[in-house]
Amino acid sequence: MTSKLIIIIGSISGAISVVLGAFGAHALKDSLSATGRLETYETAVKYQMYHSLAMILLGILMIHFQHRFLNYASYSFLIGVIIFSGSLYVLCATGITKLGAVTPIGGVFLIAAWILLAIGIYKTA
């Protein structure tokens, strides 16, 4: 993935997290509270925003440092956000609790992305 593309993806993901956060805080707050899923929804939004910012930072770093591990990190961040936050959003919207089993897979991708980022920077310096 190019540095420009990862910055664009991170920016769009950040915008989506703001929209979903606002939607959850206003339109969905009562129903999420009633089902006990408000905290789960907030976790999805927070993790999406944190990792959107990480993708933007990674894209900026990729302008100055080139290593395949940084590219792997970009894919891992993207896949992790989609699986981790996405599964929590769908869980909150549908109540399908089996989706909670998928969420840790996204978490593993996010952890891997941070490790790949560290390795990639280490190998370029």
Side-chain angles (χ1 to χ4, degrees):
M1 197 173 315
T2 67
S3 61
K4 185 176 182 177
L5 182 58
I6 193 65
I7 292 168
I8 291 168
I9 291 170
S11 299
I12 292 168
S13 178
I16 291 169
S17 71
V18 171
V19 169
L20 291 175
F23 189 62
H26 300 288
L28 298 178
K29 187 173 184 177
D30 292 340
S31 66
L32 289 170
S33 294
T35 60
R37 293 205 170 89
L38 182 60
E39 188 175 318
T40 301
Y41 192 86
E42 289 173 348
T43 298
V45 171
K46 281 191 286 191
Y47 271 70
Q48 182 175 352
M49 179 55 82
Y50 296 153
H51 291 91
S52 297
L53 294 171
M55 284 187 269
I56 293 167
L57 174 62
L58 175 57
I60 293 168
L61 288 171
M62 289 171 69
I63 293 169
H64 303 287
F65 302 100
Q66 286 81 41
H67 195 278
R68 71 181 185 277
F69 279 66
L70 297 178
N71 198 37
Y72 300 156
S74 68
Y75 285 106
S76 193
F77 274 128
L78 179 58
I79 293 166
V81 166
I82 290 169
I83 295 174
F84 184 88
S85 293
S87 66
L88 292 179
Y89 291 136
V90 174
L91 167 69
C92 290
T94 65
I96 300 172
T97 55
K98 291 181 183 181
L99 288 170
V102 175
T103 306
I105 296 168
V108 169
F109 274 98
L110 295 174
I111 293 165
W114 286 106
I115 293 168
L116 291 165
L117 172 58
I119 293 169
I121 293 298
Y122 175 78
K123 288 187 175 272
T124 62

